Each structure stands twice: as structure tokens, then as C-alpha cells.
Amino acid sequence: MIVFRSKCNFDEIHDMRSLFVLPLFFFVFQVQGQELSPSCSHRGIHVGERTEVDDFRSDSIDILHTIISIDFSNSSAQSLVGNSAITFSPKMEGVNRVKFDFEGLIVDSVIGSGVQSFNHLDSFLIIDYSSPFALGQNRELTVYYHGSPLKDASGWGGFYFTGGFIFNLGVGFAADPHSYGRVWFPCFDNFIERSTFEFFITTASDKRAACNGALLSESINLDSSKVFHWKLDQSIPSYLVCVAIGSYEIVNDVVAGENGAIPIQLYARAGDTNNLKSSFIHLKDAITKFESAYGDYKFNKVGFSLVPFNGGAMEHATNIAYPISAANGGLGSEGLMSHELAHMWWGDNITCQTDGDMWINEGWASFSVYLFFEEVYGREAYKSAMLDDLVYMLRYGHHFEEGFRAVSGQPHEYVYGDHVYKKGALVAHNLRGYMGDEAFFSTIEKFMDTYQFKSVSSDTLENFFSQESGIDLSYFFRDWVYHGGYNVVVLDSFDYKLGSTKLFLQQKLRGVQEFHDNVPVFYKMYDQDLNEESGMVEISGKYAAIEVPSSFEPVYIEMNPNNELAQARTSEFRSITETGFLGLDYMLWQVTIDQVVDSAWVWFDQLWTYPDPIKDWSNKPYRMNDNRYWRVSGIGLENVEISSIIFYNGKSSGNTGYLDISLVSETEDSLVLLYRSTPSADWNEYQFYTKNVLGDPTNASGYVELSKTLPGEYVFANVDQSVLSAPIAKKLKNIRVFPNPTNGQITVMNESGDISDMRVFSLDGKLISETSIDSGYVQFELEVKTSGVYLYELLNEDQKMIEKGKIVLQK
């Protein structure tokens, strides 16, 4: 399911004619179009980082089949009259009550053998029986009702009577729980209860009704109204049940599936059918791709019904509710079409057990859009779609959703959020990278067969994928599914000796404190003649030095060359042969090639994490941006002259902000650009740049212009004038800070009693802790989880520094 939102005007439905290139215009990072995002759900109980099922009715009662008979012929009244006949089976002894979800309609009667009474309270229909049910004996009851079915208070979900159409959307944004089958038939409105369905839908004489499954018959009543009989033989949860009524024509087609022909039925008004055919020209490609990737299609048809709803689409099984505006004859909404189709595997065949694991439905459907683009337009289109989501999440996700969230265990308010859809897609992409294509896709196909028409959890995925593939994925699920944030592995340097090259690697983090383990590191080595060799190693922890075989002496090593993993890095590669402008959208730079003597291969990297610390911090008290820095590297860079513009923005709003919030919030006067030529060098202010505050040094935005862009690393920083000007008191004796290194416990020896306070900073200048120090020996715990180097200051009562130094924390 996708709901249209306008949070930042990012467009998740890309026009493939432009191959997803997002233009970076002067200063304003602007993307045309409208963003598509989330919806779907059920409430869960949160246990740590997991979500457990809170609806246990299915442990005692199993709903087997539901026949929904409803008269919609009087559409002007925006009401219905109908009944639902429910067949269910008891699963335990002593049960004599059934509690259905049923909301908004008026119950006229309940008929069934042994029914003693019923009580309709708010959103529940409670039916009591005269005696307990017998195990193994199916029971049947029929609920008769009428009224005007609810539309969700948010405007998204429930029933719509508009423009000559009647249709439902199976979730409600404001509803709690979000599952919204209960607004038109009695059900267990959760993800774990599944039933087969049958429909007898009465419409006006000029309308047609489309439901789940196959159309068995169409008949005409004496009053000229029509009755459409539909039946779905595959079991689905209540929120996937649907009806769509309109002046429909049917576009029939067929696609060759793995197990034979798959019917395609597209419902649209006569005037919309040509546009629909044009916009869905690649529907068969999507079906074929998803069968190849995920296994055979489990349902009896592929169906879409066009409806006049501009807020998104809904993945009703075999009959997707799809906006008329998205089937406009163009290909700009192919992402939406493929996303909704992918739900027939992720969401409709297998379904998340609770809304806390909605990423299983929505994240995997969003990942499927990457696969669709890869199939139709090639790997570059896959990469562009993935990088769009990655940049969005690295830049905005933690701001919009109050932190770097895990994809599993989402709280109720973020079930339909960016971490579910976009980060969920990135996690699926990373699992592909960890496992490799052969193991990844073959395991998914077996997973779809094993859990066919069942609900699953993240634990289910972890256990099955590990056991079936033979790959221990516990670290992956710990790092990417149950924890938030990102990692990235950078190459600090390499050393060639005959026949092998040693890679010196460093893992960095963003939004998480624990280093990832068993991380695959993909690399590609080049020699001076651009011969290449590729490989993969693994890293755990912060540092690694790993020897790899190499048949030549490399002059350059590219990391993550095919974007196998979505990490805290976005890269741009350019083969430069002529002068001109380069739009580096994922790096957020404007680059101009001013002169070319000979060709060059250049990689531009934006690392969305902290830079290495300044080595001589005592004399260079720069507070560096801990959100991003850049690296320019490549082969033949001496052959080109490059100038560039880098924008900064500390605003917490709009399409241009959220980049340098920790650094530029009010004034830009102290902002500088630092540079180092290699990771072994120290940072210094760059020589060849000028700063432009755009006329206002307090608007938190501007740019720096580099007259020369040299190979090396760049980062924005503030000069901490308070450190430069702070007088340091005469250092006293009988002062000691130990142990060093430490596991977190620090002792300060203050025998003279001259120390008043101790402050501890991260290397980028952030205050970590401030502790009052009494005379004698003072012990305290440094409440930091990440190993590394930290800075400390000892101050006297006048707040003058007596001593400063470094602490090495080894957890």
C-alpha cells in the first residue's frame, strides 16, 4: 500500500524517461513531483525491540469462510443493506462466545444454530451461545445489518461514495487498530486471522462490481439491478478484502506464469482504458520479474480497479485499488504499480503478524520497485531508486521520526513511516548484498512456499533465511532489523606486496553505537591501465587489516563498487574527458571541470558520518560536522582541473535543510572548510575556498566555492574561539587521571584540592559529561558506549583550565 504525502516533495514514483537524475540547481536541492509513502496495520504490544501479537482470538476460533452479501444499488443514500454468513471452527474446549470486530453499522439480527444472544458495543459484536462448542465441529452464523459504512477520520480508509464510484480502502489511518475490514463485515480485524471469501454484490443497472478472486456469475434482478458473484479460494486477512463499483469496462489480458497462464483484469471507465493500457505497458514485465525473484504467483488473477482517489493505492488481494490519476497514459507512476503488485507476495501471500513488523509488507514491496526498475531499465535504474531512498533516510528520516529507528518493532504512530517503507527497502537490499543473489532469491522462493497464506514475524524471517541458506544471519538481523542507524566501511590505505594487497579498513557509524559484525566489504582494484579485479572480505569491529590476492599493483581501490550495500555513503563516479558541469546529486556538490589535459576517472564520495578526529586538537580546536564529510579520489586526477561549490544548510525545514544542523544553527561566521590530503594527514583549513553567506550570516545557509578541488577529504567545521582564547592556569602537581586506557571507570587524583570540575568531550567537540571533583580521589563512570579517543579538561573554581588531555575508552 502507498499513500501520497507531501512531506518534502520527494518523488518515489520516478519518470524513467529521465532515469531518475535529480537535478541540483543553484543552492536549492529540488526534486519535482510528489512523494509516495506508506499505510497499513494493527496494534501490538512492544517488548523491547520486538512486537508481539496482542490478539489471541485466533487461538480459540478459526474463521474458515465468509460470504458477504450487500446491496449497494441505492448509491445516492451512501448506505448499504446486507449480511455476512460466517463459517468458523473452535480450536479449544469450553468456548461459547465469539467476539467480532464490527464498527459503524447497525446490527439487525444474528441467526445461527445455538445462538443465544448478541451485543453490539462500539466496535465489537459479541455473540453468546447456549452451550460450548465441540472441537472439530464447524459452526455457521449470519449477521444482518445496514447503515452508512464509515470513512476513516483521517480521510484515508474505509468507504467512499464519490464521482459515481463506491469503493473501500482496507485500512484507516486514524483508526486504532488500523485494519479496517470491520467497517463492512464482522471479522477478526488483525493480520493473523485468514479466511476465504465469497461476495454477492448488488449494484445499479449501469454499474459493475469488482471484488477479490474470480467472477463466477453476473445476473439481473427484476428491478434491473445487477448481482455480481465473486469468490476467492485463497485465504486472506480482513484488511485485504475489497469491493469497487463503477461504470467499468474490463481490460482482459493474460501473462505466461510459472504454473501456467495468469489472467489479468483491469477495471476502468471506458474513457480511461487507453491511458491505463499505456501506463501499464510493463505490468507483465513486473509479474514475470516477481515470479522469477519470489516464486510463482499464488492467486488466481492479477487485478486493478481504477478509483477516484488521489491519496494513494491499496493492495487488496487480486483487486488493487489504484488511483485514476496515476494511470494517465504516462510511465511516471510505474513505481506505484509495481509496489502494489509486489504486495501479492509481500503482504497478501505472507503477511506481517503485527503492525510493528510492517516492514515485511511495505519495506519489501518498496524493495521490489528496485527490482522492477532493474528488470525494465537496468541496474543503473535500480541503483538510482535505492540511492534516492538512502539519501532521503540519511538526511531526513531521523528528523521526521524522532531518531534512527529499527525497522522491526515500530510504535503505532510510525507504522506507516519512512523507516518502514524506505529503510525497510534498504534493509532488504542489504540482505541481498549479504547473501548474494543465488542464495537470496532461492531462499525467498522457498519462504513464500513454506509460509504460503500465513503471517510471519522478523524472527520468522531470520530463522528461516539462516537455516535455509546455511548463512548465519543473526548479526545482520541484529544490526539492520532490530537496531537502527547505519554503518559504512572506508578504506584508509592499502599496501601492495608481490601477489597480494593489504587493505586497511575502518568501520564508522551513524545513529548507532555498536559496530556491525560480519560485514561484507566489496571492493574493486584498478591498475594504471584500468585493469580491474574484484573481491569481498568481511569486517567486524572498528578496524581491520586484511590481505587479499592481487595479480597487479593497484593504484586505486573502489569500495562498494556496485552499491551492493546501502550504507552511510553515497558515491558518484565520473569518467572525465571534457570540460563542463557535473551535477553530483547524491554528493550535494556542484562540480565544474575547468581543464582537461588527459582523461581521468574520479570518484566523489559523501560519507554521512563523522570524520576522523584532528590529531593536534590542542592547537586546532575545530568542532567538525559529525553528520557528513567528503572524499575526492581517483585515477589521473593530475590531468584535470576542477572547481566546485558545496552548500551548507543548518535549517530544520524545507528541501534544502537538515544537512548541517549540529554545526550551523544561528551564525555562519565561524564556519570553515577543512581539508586533508590522505587519511594519515591532519586536518587544516583549506587554502582554495571562499565563503558566501548569501547576504545574511545568521540564516544558517550559504555555500563555499573551491577554486581548486584537490584529491583528499573535506569537512565543514567551526572554530571554537572559546578554546583558543581560554587561559590555561598553571598546571599543578598531585593531579592525575587514570586508568588510561579505561573501560569506562575514571579516577581523578585531586590531592591538592585545586580541581573543581572535569569535562569530557568527543573529538568533534561535543560535551559528553561534566563532573564536579572533590578533593582526594574521585571515581565516576564515563557514560559512553562507543570505544574511542575522548578529550578532557580539568578546571579550577575560576573555570580556568589546569590540565587537558586525552582518554582512550576501550569497551
Side-chain angles (χ1 to χ4, degrees):
M1 177 193 308
I2 282 186
V3 58
F4 297 131
R5 297 189 301 185
S6 56
K7 183 173 287 182
C8 275
N9 293 328
F10 273 80
D11 187 359
E12 191 178 289
I13 300 180
H14 301 275
D15 187 339
M16 288 307 306
R17 290 169 294 188
S18 64
L19 284 178
F20 312 157
V21 175
L22 307 182
L24 180 60
F25 299 109
F26 182 73
F27 183 60
V28 179
F29 182 64
Q30 186 177 24
V31 182
Q32 300 297 323
Q34 186 180 31
E35 182 203 357
L36 292 186
S37 301
S39 65
C40 283
S41 184
H42 182 271
R43 180 180 56 215
I45 299 172
H46 300 279
V47 181
E49 294 167 326
R50 312 292 179 91
T51 306
E52 295 186 350
V53 177
D54 72 337
D55 190 341
F56 298 101
R57 287 176 293 178
S58 294
D59 293 341
S60 57
I61 298 291
D62 184 15
I63 299 176
L64 304 175
H65 188 62
T66 304
I67 302 173
I68 302 174
S69 303
I70 295 185
D71 186 346
F72 286 105
S73 59
N74 186 10
S75 60
S76 62
Q78 299 193 5
S79 63
L80 61 81
V81 177
N83 66 80
S84 291
I86 302 169
T87 302
F88 64 90
S89 176
K91 299 173 71 173
M92 63 173 56
E93 301 269 5
V95 178
N96 67 340
R97 169 177 283 189
V98 184
K99 182 180 180 182
F100 292 105
D101 298 296
F102 195 47
E103 183 176 0
L105 297 172
I106 298 170
V107 178
D108 299 312
S109 62
V110 178
I111 297 175
S113 176
V115 171
Q116 184 177 48
S117 63
F118 72 89
N119 195 0
H120 193 195
L121 299 172
D122 296 324
S123 60
F124 294 110
L125 173 61
I126 301 170
I127 302 173
D128 287 308
Y129 281 74
S130 56
S131 60
F133 306 138
L135 285 177
Q137 181 182 1
N138 291 349
R139 306 300 293 261
E140 297 178 358
L141 62 83
T142 303
V143 181
Y144 294 84
Y145 48 89
H146 71 279
S148 296
L150 294 176
K151 182 166 70 173
D152 187 70
S154 68
W156 214 110
F159 265 84
Y160 299 79
F161 297 78
T162 180
F165 291 81
I166 304 171
F167 61 95
N168 79 301
L169 300 176
V171 302
F173 256 32
D176 187 5
H178 296 294
S179 305
Y180 229 34
R182 63 185 181 275
V183 299
W184 67 302
F185 65 96
C187 56
F188 293 173
D189 216 4
N190 59 36
F191 296 139
I192 58 176
E193 185 61 45
R194 285 172 169 259
S195 167
T196 55
F197 285 88
E198 207 164 345
F199 308 86
F200 292 88
I201 303 298
T202 302
T203 74
S205 59
D206 61 339
K207 306 296 184 184
R208 301 188 63 86
C211 296
N212 310 95
L215 179 63
L216 300 185
S217 67
E218 175 184 339
S219 59
I220 301 176
N221 293 325
L222 293 177
D223 63 356
S224 298
S225 62
K226 296 179 179 179
V227 178
F228 296 87
H229 179 196
W230 290 82
K231 187 178 182 183
L232 179 69
D233 293 324
Q234 297 82 25
S235 62
I236 58 174
S238 56
Y239 80 103
L240 295 176
V241 180
C242 74
V243 64
I245 299 170
S247 300
Y248 284 128
E249 298 287 335
I250 307 173
V251 178
N252 286 299
D253 206 342
V254 66
V255 63
E258 291 189 355
N259 293 328
I262 303 173
I264 299 172
Q265 290 186 352
L266 310 177
Y267 278 66
R269 295 175 302 190
D272 295 324
T273 55
N274 287 335
N275 279 344
L276 175 61
K277 292 175 186 177
S278 297
S279 292
F280 276 39
I281 192 172
H282 292 126
L283 174 60
K284 291 183 182 180
D285 296 318
I287 297 170
T288 301
K289 178 60 180 179
F290 295 157
E291 278 211 316
S292 172
Y294 304 145
D296 60 296
Y297 187 72
K298 307 297 185 186
F299 296 96
N300 58 2
K301 82 169 192 293
V302 171
F304 287 77
S305 291
L306 297 193
V307 295
F309 181 73
N310 294 325
M314 176 65 206
E315 69 272 16
H316 302 130
T318 75
N319 188 35
I320 295 162
Y322 196 80
I324 296 172
S325 59
N328 57 11
L331 301 180
S333 294
E334 286 192 304
L336 175 62
M337 177 270 290
S338 57
H339 177 107
E340 299 305 319
L341 176 67
H343 274 306
M344 300 304 112
W345 287 263
W346 298 99
D348 292 17
N349 178 36
I350 61 102
T351 306
C352 59
Q353 286 184 353
T354 67
D355 62 2
D357 265 337
M358 183 57 69
W359 81 281
I360 296 173
N361 291 20
E362 299 297 348
W364 282 87
S366 297
F367 165 75
S368 302
V369 177
Y370 307 166
L371 292 181
F372 167 76
F373 288 150
E374 184 176 36
E375 173 72 11
V376 176
Y377 300 105
R379 178 69 185 188
E380 282 300 308
Y382 175 109
K383 183 184 78 171
S384 294
M386 183 274 291
L387 288 175
D388 287 347
D389 283 346
L390 181 60
V391 170
Y392 181 96
M393 289 307 299
L394 290 171
R395 185 174 181 178
Y396 299 106
H398 55 295
H399 293 294
F400 293 159
E401 295 184 358
E402 300 180 294
F404 293 90
R405 313 191 72 86
V407 296
S408 178
Q410 287 296 322
H412 192 260
E413 62 269 28
Y414 294 126
V415 163
Y416 310 134
D418 295 325
H419 281 86
V420 166
Y421 281 69
K422 296 179 185 294
K423 180 69 180 293
L426 298 174
V427 170
H429 166 75
N430 282 354
L431 184 58
R432 179 185 184 182
Y434 270 63
M435 296 181 68
D437 277 9
E438 182 176 353
F440 178 72
F441 289 114
S442 65
T443 300
I444 290 176
E445 186 168 350
K446 293 173 184 175
F447 182 74
M448 289 290 166
D449 288 338
T450 302
Y451 292 96
Q452 179 175 319
F453 306 129
K454 292 183 174 66
S455 59
V456 298
S457 66
S458 293
D459 288 335
T460 312
L461 264 71
E462 177 185 345
N463 294 332
F464 186 90
F465 275 55
S466 294
Q467 293 171 11
E468 185 62 38
S469 67
I471 303 170
D472 181 6
L473 295 169
S474 59
Y475 293 110
F476 175 88
F477 275 79
R478 182 199 67 188
D479 294 335
W480 285 106
V481 176
Y482 303 129
H483 288 93
Y486 304 81
N487 78 325
V488 62
V489 178
V490 298
L491 179 66
D492 285 337
S493 61
F494 59 90
D495 183 31
Y496 174 77
K497 293 182 180 178
L498 187 61
S500 68
T501 298
K502 181 174 283 190
L503 309 178
F504 295 91
L505 304 170
Q506 181 181 176
Q507 182 178 182
K508 296 188 175 186
L509 304 173
R510 178 174 175 84
V512 64
Q513 293 185 330
E514 300 294 334
F515 288 106
H516 291 195
D517 290 319
N518 294 2
V519 180
V521 180
F522 299 90
Y523 66 87
K524 185 182 289 186
M525 299 189 293
Y526 299 88
D527 69 6
Q528 193 63 49
D529 298 322
L530 302 182
N531 297 308
E532 60 185 57
E533 290 182 349
S534 300
M536 189 270 285
V537 297
E538 287 189 354
I539 182 176
S540 297
K542 186 173 183 179
Y543 296 109
I546 303 174
E547 282 197 13
V548 298
S550 54
S551 62
F552 54 71
E553 180 175 2
V555 296
Y556 185 77
I557 300 179
E558 179 185 7
M559 305 298 291
N560 204 32
N562 296 310
N563 286 275
E564 292 90 347
L565 298 179
Q567 297 181 318
R569 173 202 284 116
T570 49
S571 300
E572 303 261 9
F573 165 75
R574 294 291 187 274
S575 175
I576 298 176
T577 58
E578 59 185 11
T579 60
F581 173 78
L582 303 180
L584 302 181
D585 305 315
Y586 300 119
M587 196 176 176
L588 307 184
W589 275 29
Q590 286 186 1
V591 172
T592 301
I593 309 302
D594 299 310
Q595 183 175 341
V596 177
V597 177
D598 200 350
S599 62
W601 282 21
V602 186
W603 282 265
F604 301 90
D605 291 307
Q606 179 163 213
L607 288 305
W608 297 80
T609 183
Y610 46 82
D612 289 341
I614 291 172
K615 300 177 186 296
D616 186 13
W617 187 82
S618 298
N619 296 312
K620 302 174 185 177
Y622 295 112
R623 184 167 65 88
M624 295 190 288
N625 190 343
D626 59 356
N627 290 322
R628 60 176 183 150
Y629 69 100
W630 302 271
R631 178 179 288 185
V632 178
S633 57
I635 302 172
L637 280 166
E638 68 278 4
N639 298 325
V640 296
E641 291 186 8
I642 302 173
S643 59
S644 58
I645 292 175
I646 312 175
F647 301 103
Y648 62 85
N649 196 301
K651 297 179 180 179
S652 57
S653 62
N655 289 351
T656 60
Y658 299 100
L659 288 171
D660 308 291
I661 292 175
S662 65
L663 197 68
V664 184
S665 57
E666 295 180 1
T667 179
E668 305 142 52
D669 289 339
S670 62
L671 186 73
V672 296
L673 181 67
L674 302 184
Y675 167 80
R676 64 179 187 176
S677 57
T678 66
S680 61
D682 203 2
W683 296 94
N684 289 286
E685 186 171 0
Y686 192 52
Q687 287 181 276
F688 308 108
Y689 85 98
T690 56
K691 180 170 60 177
N692 190 327
V693 299
L694 296 176
D696 184 356
T698 63
N699 66 1
S701 62
Y703 65 89
V704 297
E705 188 169 1
L706 285 66
S707 58
K708 294 182 181 181
T709 306
L710 301 176
E713 294 182 348
Y714 299 83
V715 66
F716 285 131
N718 279 339
V719 180
D720 193 337
Q721 299 291 347
S722 64
V723 174
L724 283 176
S725 59
I728 300 179
K730 183 179 179 181
K731 187 172 180 178
L732 301 177
K733 298 180 180 180
N734 300 320
I735 293 176
R736 185 183 171 202
V737 177
F738 64 95
N740 197 2
T742 177
N743 62 4
Q745 189 177 76
I746 294 175
T747 300
V748 179
M749 183 179 73
N750 184 26
E751 290 184 343
S752 63
D754 292 300
I755 303 172
S756 174
D757 296 281
M758 180 176 182
R759 295 174 182 167
V760 180
F761 301 85
S762 62
L763 287 172
D764 59 6
K766 286 187 176 179
L767 180 64
I768 301 298
S769 71
E770 185 170 6
T771 305
S772 296
I773 304 298
D774 296 327
S775 60
Y777 288 77
V778 178
Q779 287 186 339
F780 66 94
E781 189 75 21
L782 185 60
E783 295 183 357
V784 179
K785 294 182 179 180
T786 304
S787 299
V789 178
Y790 295 85
L791 309 171
Y792 72 84
E793 298 175 347
L794 300 178
L795 293 83
N796 62 17
E797 290 183 355
D798 297 327
Q799 297 299 289
K800 293 182 179 179
M801 276 188 286
I802 296 173
E803 180 175 298
K804 60 182 178 179
K806 298 180 180 179
I807 300 171
V808 178
L809 180 64
Q810 294 179 346
K811 285 286 189 178

